Amino acid sequence: MIEARRLHILRAVADHRTVTAAAAALYLTPSAVSQQLTALEQETGHRLVERGAKGVRLTPAGEILLSHTHAVLAQLERAEAELAAYGAGEAGTVTVAAFATGIAQVVAPAVARLAASAPGIRIRVQDAEGDASLPMVLDRQVDVAVAVEYRGAPSADDPRLTHVPLYAEPFDAVVPVTHRLADGSEVPLAELAKDPWIGPYPGNPCHDVVVLACENAGFQPRLEHSSDDFRAVVALASADVGVALVPRSALRGMDLAGVVVRPVDGVAPTRRVFAAVRRGAESHPLIRPVLDALRAAAEDT
C-alpha cells in the first residue's frame, strides 16, 4: 500500500530537484526525505529517483508514479473539501500569498468582502512574488496564490493546480520629464533601445514582461538599475537615470512629479493575474468563498 504522504514527498522532490530543497519546503530533514523515498521505492518495487551532481531526477518509473500522484493528491483535496462541507466548514483560516500590488488590487478588497459575507473565514495574507507563491501552494505552505503569468510558470492545465483568471493590466512607459519622448501621447518602445533601463530583478515575473516587450520591439533592454519595488523604480526615473515599464495599478497613489507616464504605442505589454489553488481544493467550503471574493474584487477594478 502506497502512503499518500510519501507521494507528497515525491512531488516535492520532482518540483525542487534536490532532496535538500524539498526537505526545506516540507519542513523535514533531508535524511527524513531520503528515508521516505526509500520506503516508497520499497512499496512500489521500483527505483524512483536517481541522484547526480546536479541534484535528483525521476526515473521512468518515478515519472509514471508522479503522473498518478497529481491525480491522487487532487482527489484527496476533493475528499477534504467534501468532508469540510459535511462538517459545515463555515469557520477557519485561509492563507493567501500575493505580490504587493495584487494585495492592494484584489486581496484587500476581497478580505473586506469576506468580513461581511463570511465572517467565520479568517484570512492571513503573505507578501510573495508570483514565482514564489505558486511553489508555496504546491508545498502546502499557503492555500491560495495570487500570481502573474511568467515564463516557466506552471501552465493553466497543470495537473497540480487550478487556475482562476482575475484581471489583466497594461504596463505604461515611465520616462523623466526631461526625456526626449516626454511630450508625445504614446511612447514607441523601439525608440528606447539606447536608453538605460530601470526594472525588476530577474526572477520577478514583471522582469520577464519587460524583457519580452523589448525583445518584441527589436532590442534587449540595458538594465542598469534594479529594484522589485516600483516606487523605487519611479523614483530613479524621476532622478533621470533611466526609463522603465511599470504596471498601471502600481502607479496609483505614487508621487509622479518627476516623471511622465505614457501608454506604449501599439500592443502594450500586459501582465495577467490569476489565483491558484491545489487542484481539487477549489471546492473546499473555506477556499471557494475566497476565490469568489477575489473574482468579485477583480471585476470591480
Side-chain angles (χ1 to χ4, degrees):
M1 180 69 69
I2 297 173
E3 289 193 20
R5 63 193 178 98
R6 290 177 182 148
L7 295 180
H8 279 293
I9 290 172
L10 179 70
R11 187 159 80 177
V13 169
D15 287 343
H16 294 281
R17 302 297 181 183
T18 71
V19 168
T20 301
L26 297 172
Y27 300 102
L28 297 171
T29 64
S31 62
V33 169
S34 295
Q35 289 169 9
Q36 292 299 317
L37 287 175
T38 299
L40 186 58
E41 289 178 329
Q42 292 172 347
E43 287 174 345
T44 60
H46 292 278
R47 187 178 181 188
L48 302 175
V49 297
E50 291 180 346
R51 292 171 173 81
K54 295 184 178 180
V56 176
R57 69 180 184 88
L58 298 189
T59 64
E63 293 288 354
I64 291 171
L65 183 57
L66 181 65
S67 67
H68 290 283
T69 292
H70 298 323
V72 169
L73 295 184
Q75 190 60 42
L76 287 174
E77 293 282 356
R78 295 186 188 100
E80 289 182 9
E82 289 190 21
L83 287 170
Y86 177 77
E90 296 178 353
T93 299
V94 176
T95 304
V96 179
F99 56 99
T101 51
I103 292 173
Q105 191 90 341
V106 291
V107 176
V111 171
R113 287 175 179 271
L114 288 166
S117 63
I121 299 178
R122 177 174 176 262
I123 305 296
R124 293 180 61 247
V125 180
Q126 296 185 22
D127 189 335
E129 292 297 338
D131 57 326
S133 62
L134 294 176
M136 291 168 72
V137 167
L138 290 171
D139 293 335
R140 304 180 70 86
Q141 296 173 9
V142 301
D143 302 302
V144 181
V146 174
V148 178
E149 291 181 2
Y150 61 94
R151 287 187 282 193
S155 62
D157 60 355
D158 189 294
R160 301 169 298 172
L161 295 167
T162 293
H163 281 225
V164 179
L166 294 178
Y167 65 93
E169 65 172 328
F171 281 59
D172 289 325
V174 178
V175 302
V177 292
T178 56
H179 195 273
R180 63 188 182 281
L181 300 179
D183 292 334
S185 59
E186 296 181 328
V187 171
L189 277 187
E191 294 191 26
L192 299 177
K194 295 183 178 180
D195 285 82
W197 278 73
I198 313 155
Y201 285 101
N204 185 314
C206 289
H207 173 89
D208 288 345
V209 175
V210 171
V211 171
L212 184 60
C214 293
E215 288 175 351
N216 290 339
F219 69 98
Q220 284 282 340
R222 180 161 52 92
L223 284 162
E224 292 196 356
H225 310 279
S226 298
S227 175
D228 288 335
D229 186 334
F230 286 116
R231 291 185 181 276
V233 170
V234 171
L236 287 168
S238 70
D240 202 7
V241 300
V243 299
L245 290 174
V246 177
R248 189 165 290 172
S249 66
L251 294 167
R252 293 174 185 167
M254 280 197 197
D255 180 4
L256 303 175
V259 298
V260 169
V261 178
R262 296 287 184 265
V264 173
D265 184 24
V267 179
T270 302
R271 70 171 172 182
R272 290 174 173 79
V273 180
F274 63 93
V277 299
R278 292 179 295 278
R279 190 169 290 261
E282 64 274 9
S283 58
H284 192 286
L286 292 179
I287 292 178
R288 185 177 61 249
V290 175
L291 294 177
D292 290 343
L294 288 170
R295 273 191 291 249
E299 290 173 0
D300 290 343
T301 59

